[in-house]
């Protein structure tokens, strides 16, 4: 599996599946979630509502992932996952890792070959970028994902890109 970094907007990616940093309501929000629903159109929200009504009447639990189609986006599917809110007092990194693992599992089940991730939890949910990047890359590297050829991390700004680039090179590497 190839891992690549892109600076840009995830809604413009042509990956088979793009991942949404959603919340457990699955009914939209700000950040990446807002951008995906805005650009993807009402079809995605309609599918999210149907998922709420059937499998997730109490909401999608933190660390889990579920797919819808991608509406008007250039991707085929949107995989919605719920990142943990960052906490200084409690280690929730297993939940953040679970988001990447569960999303790759859903992508593999769908038959996706290419998957694009945002930096889950590092915006509104307050996760420090350096730690969020480390967990993202370690988890994706360690997760077997049959059929997935490329995972890209789509970072919205230069700071996020630099943190992922640093984490990709590993500790102790020159920047
Ligand atoms: N493309 C790529 N990355 C983006 C984009 C974009 N279009 N927009 C923002 N980012 P966030 P979270 C970056 O806040 O922290 C929503 O309200 C952003 O700079 O989208 O997991 C949900 O409904 C940051 O690095 O997600 C939840 O309630 C990263 O994406 C809550 O926010 C994640 O930021 C989830 O918070």
């Amino acid at each position: 599996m190839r891992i690549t970094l892109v600076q840009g907007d995830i809604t413009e990616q042509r990956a088979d599946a793009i991942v949404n940093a959603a919340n457990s309501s699955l009914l939209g929000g700000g950040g990446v979630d807002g951008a995906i629903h805005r650009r993807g159109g009402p079809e995605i929200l309609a599918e999210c509502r149907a998922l709420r009504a059937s499998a997730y009447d109490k909401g999608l639990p933190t660390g889990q992932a579920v797919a819808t189609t991608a509406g008007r986006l250039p991707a085929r599917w949107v995989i919605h996952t719920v990142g943990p809110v960052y906490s200084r007092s409690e280690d929730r990194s297993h939940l953040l890792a679970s988001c990447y693992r569960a999303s790759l599992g859903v992508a593999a089940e769908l038959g996706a070959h290419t998957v694009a991730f945002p930096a889950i939890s590092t915006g509104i949910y307050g996760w420090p970028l350096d730690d969020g990047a480390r967990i993202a890359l370690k988890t994706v590297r360690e997760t077997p994902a049959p059929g997935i050829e490329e995972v890209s991390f789509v970072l919205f700004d230069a700071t996020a890109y630099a943190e992922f680039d640093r984490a990709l090179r590993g500790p102790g590497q020159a920047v």
Side-chain angles (χ1 to χ4, degrees), residues 133-172:
R134 184 187 60 78
I135 293 167
L137 287 161
K138 178 172 163 28
T139 308
V140 167
R141 277 182 173 140
E142 289 175 356
T143 303
I148 297 180
E149 291 154 14
E150 179 171 9
V151 170
S152 57
F153 288 94
V154 183
L155 295 325
F156 209 35
D157 56 33
T159 309
Y161 184 93
E163 287 296 352
F164 271 73
D165 190 43
R166 204 190 319 265
L168 190 61
R169 292 176 208 214

Side-chain angles (χ1 to χ4, degrees), residues 35-118:
I36 285 175
H37 282 288
R38 228 173 10 254
R39 294 197 59 166
E43 199 185 326
I44 301 174
L45 188 58
E47 281 193 45
C48 285
R49 283 191 201 286
L51 283 166
R52 279 301 303 269
S54 55
Y56 300 103
D57 59 325
K58 294 193 178 69
L60 180 66
T62 304
Q64 293 191 23
V66 69
T68 65
T69 52
R72 295 196 286 258
L73 297 174
R76 288 179 70 187
W77 299 286
V78 175
I79 297 173
H80 307 264
T81 189
V82 184
V85 176
Y86 182 69
S87 164
R88 281 175 192 277
S89 55
E90 187 193 348
D91 182 7
R92 297 181 177 161
S93 46
H94 64 289
L95 290 169
L96 185 55
S98 172
C99 288
Y100 289 100
R101 214 176 292 121
S103 298
L104 284 176
V106 170
E109 263 173 43
L110 289 167
H113 299 303
T114 54
V115 183
F117 280 101

Side-chain angles (χ1 to χ4, degrees), residues 8-10 21-23 28-33 35 119-125 154 156:
D9 183 337
I10 200 161
N23 60 64
V32 184
D33 198 10
I120 299 166
S121 286
T122 66
I124 292 163
Y125 282 177
V154 183
F156 209 35

